Amino acid sequence: RARLKTGEEVAVKVLRPRIERIAAAEFRAFARAARMIEAVSQTARRMEPVQFIDTLKAAAAIELDLRMEAGAASTLAEDLKDNPGVAVPEVIWPLTARRVLTVEWVGATPIGDLAALDAAGVDRGRLAVTVIQTFLTQALHKGFFHADMHQGNMMVDAKGRLVLIDFGIMGRLDETARRTFAEIIHGFITRN
């Protein structure tokens, strides 16, 4: 939490010093271990541990550039702008760079703080419906979704809106995947 010269409160996320070098060293160690496991176990080889580590390394590289997170936050905000029950903090672009992300400060209650939600009069059943509808709207309608919607990344503001934060892990679904996902959900709901 920080305050700009204008008096505006913002949330600032800063990468730790040397995190890129630390992550690179750890991924080298993981890759060595994965290669060794593949060399000695046919069962493990079928699980493709080297490819798994490569996938994690690529995802981490994206997460280590906070401009990508800022872009994801802006895209999600645009996608959800017509939903009055959901809020995404606005990115402060002039104060955002590869290693620093600055967004508007949102005073809100974490959804895991049930006592505070109850004290604020939040209808938890309605909140649960909002969370599910928001995720399904993102995934099925837009094909771009917050892929890390856990209690630490969702809050409720004073207006009763669901506030999403932390956009480092986002997902995309193409038209075929969205259709398949919708069919699975429909089958689950209809028990077919």
Side-chain angles (χ1 to χ4, degrees):
R1 188 174 190 169
R3 186 177 306 276
L4 301 179
K5 290 179 183 179
T6 62
E8 179 184 3
E9 286 190 296
V10 294
V12 181
K13 182 177 187 176
V14 180
L15 291 184
R16 294 181 182 184
R18 299 176 301 284
I19 190 66
E20 294 92 345
R21 281 188 275 160
I22 293 167
E26 290 180 357
F27 278 114
R28 282 192 301 273
F30 288 143
R32 274 193 305 275
R35 285 190 303 272
M36 288 175 28
I37 290 169
E38 277 192 5
V40 299
S41 171
Q42 185 173 353
T43 302
R45 196 174 309 123
R46 283 194 296 265
M47 295 173 63
E48 300 178 331
V50 170
Q51 183 177 354
F52 177 72
I53 297 301
D54 288 344
T55 300
L56 288 179
K57 183 178 176 183
I62 292 169
E63 284 192 62
L64 290 174
D65 184 341
L66 296 180
R67 295 171 298 188
M68 299 296 287
E69 183 171 343
S74 291
T75 299
L76 192 62
E78 179 65 24
D79 286 351
L80 296 173
K81 71 179 179 191
D82 295 328
N83 185 336
V86 181
V88 174
E90 182 181 348
V91 174
I92 313 295
W93 282 103
L95 300 175
T96 295
R98 189 176 64 77
R99 300 183 58 81
V100 178
L101 169 63
T102 307
V103 298
E104 72 175 306
W105 180 261
V106 179
T109 304
I111 66 167
D113 188 345
L114 301 181
L117 291 178
D118 290 343
V122 173
D123 179 344
R124 288 195 269 150
R126 181 71 204 132
L127 177 60
V129 169
T130 299
V131 169
I132 292 168
Q133 286 177 337
T134 300
F135 174 75
L136 292 176
T137 297
Q138 292 173 63
L140 296 177
H141 181 64
K142 298 294 185 175
F144 181 70
F145 61 96
H146 193 302
D148 198 19
M149 285 179 66
H150 59 75
Q151 288 185 358
N153 289 340
M154 295 185 286
M155 302 182 293
V156 177
D157 69 9
K159 296 177 183 176
R161 297 178 301 177
L162 172 66
V163 178
L164 301 176
I165 61 170
D166 192 354
F167 308 96
I169 303 173
M170 302 297 287
R172 289 194 183 276
L173 297 173
D174 63 22
E175 185 66 34
T176 301
R178 293 190 333 229
R179 190 174 308 117
T180 301
F181 186 34
E183 289 171 2
I184 290 169
I185 292 169
H186 181 264
F188 178 75
I189 291 170
T190 61
R191 298 179 188 262
N192 180 1

